[in-house]
Amino acid sequence: MMVWKKMTTFNQIKQVIDILGPSVDNYLYVMDAVNDVYYISANALERFPIKEQEFQNVLETLTKFVYPDDIGILQEDLSKLMRRERDFHNL
C-alpha cells in the first residue's frame, strides 16, 4: 500500500479509487485510521458481504469477510495504525 502525503484527503483518494477501480481486477481501498472509516472499490461489493463502499467500524466489518485465520494478524496491524504506532499497512 502506498503511503499518501498528508495533503491528500480521504475524499480525493476515494475519487481515484472510483476512477481506477473499474479498470483493475484487484480491490482498491483506503482507510482513515483516525476516524475509523474504510472505502473500497465498487467491485468488492459483488464478492464480499458488504452493502456500501464506505463503512465505519473497520475492524468489526472486515472480520465479516476476511479469512478467519488472518483476522488476528489483521486486527493487530490495523490497531497499530489506529493507535498511531505505525503509519502504513502492508499485509
Side-chain angles (χ1 to χ4, degrees), residues 7 19 34 56 58 74 82 91:
M7 62 185 254
I19 292 167
V34 173
Q56 294 184 303
V58 175
L74 176 66
M82 292 177 174
L91 288 178

Side-chain angles (χ1 to χ4, degrees), residues 34-89:
V34 173
N35 296 304
D36 193 21
V37 180
Y38 195 92
Y39 187 81
I40 194 163
S41 50
N43 60 340
L45 301 179
E46 298 168 10
R47 173 154 185 174
F48 301 113
I50 50 177
K51 297 177 183 176
E52 301 287 332
Q53 284 180 263
E54 185 171 326
F55 54 85
Q56 294 184 303
N57 301 314
V58 175
L59 289 174
E60 178 184 329
T61 304
L62 290 177
T63 60
K64 294 176 183 177
F65 61 90
V66 170
Y67 183 66
D69 290 348
D70 294 338
I71 291 173
I73 193 168
L74 176 66
Q75 287 176 325
E76 180 181 338
D77 192 67
L78 294 180
S79 292
K80 287 180 181 179
L81 277 175
M82 292 177 174
R83 292 190 307 263
R84 298 183 180 175
E85 293 175 12
R86 76 166 41 152
D87 62 358
F88 66 94
H89 165 67

